[in-house]
Every structure is written in structure tokens, then in C-alpha cells.
Amino acid sequence: MKVHDALAMALTQHGVDTVFGLMGEANMLIVDDFVNHHGGRYIASPREDGGVLAAMGYSHSTGRLGVATVTHGPALTNTITALVEATRSHVPLLLIAGDTELAERINLQDIDQAEVTRVSGAGFHRVRSAESCVEDLGIAVRRATVERRPIVLNVPIDIQEQETSPTGPATYGAPRAQAPGPDPDALDRAVGIIASSRRPVVLAGWGAIDAEAASAARRLAARLGAPVATTLKAKGLFAGDECDLGTFGTFTSEVAGEYLGDADCVIALGASLNRFTAAHGALLDGKAIVHVDADPAQLGEWTPVDAPIVGDAGRTAEAIVELLDELEHEPSSFRSPAMAAALADDEPTRHFEDTSGGGTVDMRTFTIRMNGLLPADRSVVTDGGHFVVAPLRYLDVPEPRALLYPLAFGSVGLGLGCAVGVAAGQPGRPTVLVCGDGGMMMSLAEFNTAVRHDLDLIVLVMNDGSYGAEYHNYLKYDMDPALSLLAWPDFAPIADALGGTGVTVRDLRDIEEAAAVIERRTGPVLVDVKLDPAVRVGFFD
Ligand SMILES: Cc1ncc(C[n+]2csc(CCOP(=O)(O)OP(=O)(O)O)c2C)c(N)n1
């Protein structure tokens, strides 16, 4: 068996059924074997960064390893921004990079792949020989899983063409995740603080999104008479709970913010309590904080805490409930029918002046309306820019893995690639991408990937005809924002030309028609939402 075939076979032995990427001379044989000999699915992107971002979206939405492949030289350098994003987002990802012949003295496309990878923060592993190729792939898969970052597996083309007899271990199993129990002294101290609080809140983060941890968090909240809240990353975890205060931090709603302001104790489960969650201190100052995380490095990293506990979020929440039972603790009355009613009655449109008119809509009003009109069981992906406040604040998601905002590197233009992978990973659930016109122009070829691979994608382009974030920065400096304005073409005909369906919203009355087009869709849809660049929202208030 040739090495390229052995590698493709080993991928399937690791449970990989989908590979994203772009082919060239140094990876096309692996791709061909994966599809034609081993029954895999290959999703072809028009740019390599799109393939890596799609693998990232796939991993995020499924919890599985994301896999992408590129050819040598410029193909790998095209992935660097995406690799930085995936590294900083702790996504387990395997990138198989073909490389030029080891024996060749000069090749136009040669570059030191280890050095190129190093700056991104991703890991690197080289296929050492034909005989070790399957073992090398296993090492890379294991590293991606346990190190929770991309690993670039470098495969020189001349090794790929050699014969091998893959008898070595196909897998190096990653250790199963374990759930460390809390230290009794740390637990006692925490329970002392919790028991003396009168208005506790249970806050869950990404470290508490598995089913056991989420139900333990709910039991703890019920036992304490506490409302629940989540970090932005864990948005949707408590969907349906009538005392869910929603996102804790920068995106807290006005009504929930009042209750969070009143809280005297926060029990944070698997949440890093970074500056966004803390709303730059405003939401945590003066409160007693119990901080639970399986990783000791996370405890108190961003915020001083009163009771740090190293432990699995679910097991620790259970242990706290048991101790409260032993103490015959009386639940607080913070969680109340009045709180549930105030949250249910809250109407987000009440908290701002709608600015729609003159051929544009207010993005907040538009997003709030779309929240009710889009299918409720959806994934939401955002790009970056001024507009991002609207989807992150006003679009609901059914569970945390259904929300992805690839902003760990602060880059514009990563949303559409990620959305392709999210849609591929969750075929039963439409994926809604919200991006700006600048981000869309940076990545729009990926819309056609969704068309070619029959993915259920709905794109909402928040089109203010400008780099809106920079427009408002110019105004902040008291400067003319003219250079941030861009006369892009209309996006609806572009969507049609790329094989999907485009529709334009210029007026609030157009929203129903856009929703009807979405409802009738047989392929990807793009909604070009015309906005006034001068309207500032969210962070820019
Ligand atoms: C790769 C990259 N290039 C440039 C920037 C600087 N930048 C930040 S926001 C932004 C504007 C994006 O415009 P758009 O997508 O239209 O969204 P808007 O801000 O208008 O809502 C730019 C250019 C960046 N963050 N990343």
C-alpha cells in the first residue's frame, strides 16, 4: 500500500468522515484515496484558510476533531490567520500539509513549514518515513486532541509515493477526560460563603456545557433559589429556564443587568471570568466569588476570587448541593416568580430608539425581528465588526455549540469559512452567519462552497457600505470618515451568481419577504441588509 492510501485509511480508523481543504500536487492523492477508497467526504474550499476555518467550525459544532488538508508552500502560508484563530480558540484540529520532495534541491513552492507553523502557535509533526506514517498520523491526532490546538502534519510528497505496510498502531488513544472531585477544605470554604449569601447567581461557562454539568448546575441553582446565567461562550445552556438571566457580562440585557447588579454571590462553574464576562469589573466588584474549574490555571486568572476550587464543574456543583442538604440550608428567595415575569415581559426594542428610515433599517430592530422569524433550532456564526453586537446580543441559540464567534485573533473575515464547517457538522440545523459588508467581501467565495456542497446556510450581511468600526473610530478622533466608506456592489445578485438566492432589505417591511425567501429556500440564501453607517450601537454607544 502507498503511504497516501495508508494515511487516508488511518484517518477513517480515527473516525474521521469529513476532510476540508484545497488540493494540489502534494495532497491530492491523499484526498482521492480518502474519498474513493475509504468513503470519506471531502469539502473543497476556494481558499485554504476557508478549509481550516471550516474544520474549526466543524469541530466546534460537533465536539469532534476537525480535519483539513492543503498542499505545499503558499497553500500553507494562506492558512496562517485561520491557524492563529483555531490555536487561540483551543480547537482540536489536524491540518495535513503536503510538502515538496525532500530530495529536491530547489522548488518554487518550498518553504520551511515548521517555521511558518510556529508563528501561528499551532503544533507541528513530520511524517518521518514511509514505515512510520500511520504512527505519525496517530501522534498528530492525539496531540491535536490533548493539546486542544491545530497540529500541522507535514507529509513530503516523495514519502507519500513510497510503499508501506501499516502494521503499527493505527491509534494512540487520547486519555478520556476525567472529572476531578473537589478538595474537601476548598469545598467547605466555598459552601460557607454560599450559605451566607442572600442573592446568589449560578454562572456557567464553556467548562460546564456537557449534559451532566449543566443539569448539576440547574440542581444547584434550584437548591439555592438562584437564577442562572452563562458566559457568552456558553450562551443557550439554560434555554427554557424561566430565571435564566442570559449572558453575564458585556451583552447582559437591561433587565437581567439589574438582577445581576443586586446579586451578592456568584458561583462560577467552568467560566474564566475574563474582562468581558466581568464587564470590565462592573458585574463582579463587591460580590463574593466562588470559582470552580478543572484547570487550576484558570482560577482567579482575571478576577480575584474568594473561594477557588479545582474540580469538575458538574461534580463540584453536586458536592455543594450535598453539603447544603447536610446543613439544611434554606434556599434564598432571589429566584422568584416576579423575576421570571420581569424577564418574560422584557422587550429588547424598549431599550433603544429605532433609527430605520431613508432606505435603511436599524440593525437592532432587524435582528430582533429575525430572532423570531428564523428557525429556532439553528446555529449562529458571526464575523467581526461594529455590527457584531446585534447578533451576539439579540439572536438566541439552542445550545452553546450552536454559537461560534471566531474573534480570538480579532480578525475580520473568518465567519463565512467557519459557517461552512458548522453547517457541514450539523446538517439538520440551518446555520445563520451574520457578517458585515467588509467581512463578506473578504471571504465571499466561501458562499459558493455552501452551494456546491448543499449546505443549509443563511447569510445576513449587515451592509452599512463601510468599515463601520473604523467609521466610528474616525468620528471618535473627530475626523472625516470618508475613507472608511466603500461602494461595494449589491450582494443579492452576487449571491445569485454564486449559485444561491439573494434578497435585499431596505425597509422594515422587507423583513417579512426576506423571511419568506428563507422559509422557501432550497439552497444557501443571502440577505443584504442596508444600514446607515452613521448609526452607532452597542460598544460604540
Ligand atoms: C483581517 C483584519 N483586517 C482589518 C481589521 C480591522 N477592522 C476591524 S473591524 C473592521 C471593519 C469591518 O467592516 P464590516 O465587516 O463591514 O463590519 P462593520 O464594522 O461595518 O459592522 C476592520 C477593517 C481586522 N480586525 N482584521
Side-chain angles (χ1 to χ4, degrees):
M1 182 183 254
K2 297 278 192 190
V3 165
H4 49 78
D5 201 6
L7 290 173
M9 185 180 74
L11 278 178
T12 58
Q13 288 171 342
H14 284 283
V16 175
D17 58 15
T18 304
V19 170
F20 302 88
L22 196 159
M23 70 169 67
E25 190 190 354
N27 66 338
M28 56 190 280
L29 298 178
I30 299 172
V31 169
D32 191 76
D33 290 326
F34 180 66
V35 174
N36 292 320
H37 291 167
H38 303 289
R41 172 170 68 154
Y42 173 61
I43 296 193
S45 283
R47 263 185 63 99
E48 287 82 0
D49 51 357
V52 171
L53 293 167
M56 177 179 153
Y58 181 89
S59 175
H60 181 89
S61 69
T62 60
R64 298 168 63 187
L65 178 75
V67 181
T69 182
V70 296
T71 189
H72 39 39
L76 182 65
T77 56
N78 269 354
T79 68
I80 296 305
T81 301
L83 281 179
V84 176
E85 177 64 31
T87 300
R88 295 188 184 181
S89 302
H90 308 290
V91 175
L93 198 154
L94 175 69
L95 175 59
I96 300 174
D99 204 352
T100 51
E101 278 186 41
L102 289 168
E104 223 174 1
R105 194 165 85 88
I106 295 174
N107 185 308
L108 212 59
Q109 294 178 313
D110 186 30
I111 197 163
D112 184 336
Q113 293 202 349
E115 275 299 292
V116 167
T117 302
R118 194 178 56 78
V119 295
S120 74
F124 186 83
H125 186 78
R126 201 184 296 278
V127 169
R128 294 160 294 161
S129 67
E131 279 317 303
S132 69
C133 71
V134 168
E135 184 188 24
D136 288 318
L137 185 125
I139 290 169
V141 167
R142 178 189 156 89
R143 285 189 58 195
T145 308
V146 300
E147 295 174 25
R148 302 197 66 73
R149 62 172 175 158
I151 302 294
V152 174
L153 180 67
N154 169 284
V155 200
I157 194 163
D158 38 359
I159 292 186
Q160 286 180 47
E161 286 162 3
Q162 292 172 22
E163 287 290 330
T164 184
S165 39
T167 50
T171 62
Y172 276 89
R176 283 174 61 84
Q178 295 178 19
D183 167 75
D185 290 342
L187 193 63
D188 271 351
R189 178 170 165 69
V191 170
I193 290 170
I194 294 167
S196 61
S197 74
R198 296 163 60 89
R199 292 176 305 281
V201 173
V202 172
L203 165 65
W206 187 257
I209 66 161
D210 67 71
E212 293 90 61
S215 59
R218 283 177 193 266
R219 277 196 294 281
L220 174 60
R223 182 66 187 77
L224 285 170
V228 290
T230 69
T231 60
L232 184 59
K233 266 193 120 175
K235 185 171 175 168
L237 188 66
F238 298 123
D241 185 318
E242 59 180 14
C243 285
D244 177 6
L245 297 175
T247 310
F248 196 111
T250 322
F251 292 107
T252 297
S253 74
E254 287 76 4
V255 171
E258 299 265 314
Y259 288 111
L260 291 176
D262 281 352
D264 62 358
C265 175
V266 175
I267 302 138
L269 305 170
S272 78
L273 300 180
N274 63 29
R275 65 203 153 110
F276 302 111
T277 303
H280 303 278
L283 274 181
L284 293 177
D285 285 352
K287 296 177 177 37
I289 299 174
V290 174
H291 195 187
V292 179
D293 206 295
D295 176 5
Q298 298 290 327
L299 295 173
E301 193 195 359
W302 298 92
T303 306
V305 299
D306 301 281
I309 305 181
V310 181
D312 169 71
R315 280 191 65 185
T316 306
E318 290 291 0
I320 295 172
V321 169
E322 276 167 30
L323 277 182
L324 291 169
D325 286 345
E326 274 172 32
L327 291 172
E328 297 180 6
H329 174 73
E330 279 294 314
S332 83
S333 54
F334 194 33
R335 184 188 179 92
S336 66
M339 178 188 280
L343 290 168
D345 289 349
D346 188 26
E347 179 48 68
T349 49
R350 233 184 266 151
H351 306 288
F352 62 90
E353 270 310 301
D354 176 69
T355 60
S356 305
T360 65
V361 296
D362 186 308
M363 71 163 120
R364 294 161 294 190
T365 312
F366 171 81
T367 310
I368 291 163
R369 295 248 186 113
M370 288 310 278
N371 190 42
L373 291 168
L374 288 165
D377 188 22
R378 60 192 171 221
S379 301
V380 172
V381 180
T382 76
D383 203 271
H386 168 228
F387 74 87
V388 80
V389 178
L392 291 180
R393 174 120 190 232
Y394 301 121
L395 282 186
D396 297 326
V397 286
E399 47 124 350
R401 285 197 182 277
L403 175 65
L404 176 56
Y405 46 100
L407 295 173
F409 189 27
S411 176
V412 170
L414 308 188
L416 187 48
C418 286
V420 163
V422 168
Q426 293 290 348
R429 201 180 243 182
T431 297
V432 179
L433 168 75
V434 190
C435 71
D437 43 295
M440 190 64 197
M441 285 302 281
M442 225 184 245
S443 59
L444 67 85
E446 289 299 340
F447 185 78
N448 177 256
T449 310
V451 172
R452 282 182 287 106
H453 290 280
D454 204 16
L455 303 175
D456 194 359
L457 177 69
I458 300 161
V459 179
L460 309 177
V461 183
M462 298 297 195
N463 183 0
D464 59 0
S466 85
Y467 289 135
E470 314 314 351
Y471 180 103
H472 292 291
N473 280 331
Y474 273 130
L475 294 185
K476 195 173 70 187
Y477 296 128
D478 221 5
M479 289 169 71
D480 181 352
L483 287 177
S484 66
L485 297 172
L486 295 136
W488 303 127
D490 281 330
F491 287 100
I494 293 180
D496 294 340
L498 290 171
T501 305
V503 56
T504 305
V505 169
R506 293 190 172 81
D507 188 285
L508 291 179
R509 281 169 303 200
D510 298 337
I511 294 178
E512 297 294 329
E513 171 56 16
V517 171
I518 290 170
E519 173 98 44
R520 292 195 301 268
R521 75 194 178 283
T522 52
V525 170
L526 182 151
V527 186
D528 183 355
V529 189
K530 305 290 190 192
L531 308 175
D532 177 354
V535 176
R536 293 148 60 108
V537 302
F539 296 126
F540 292 84
D541 275 344

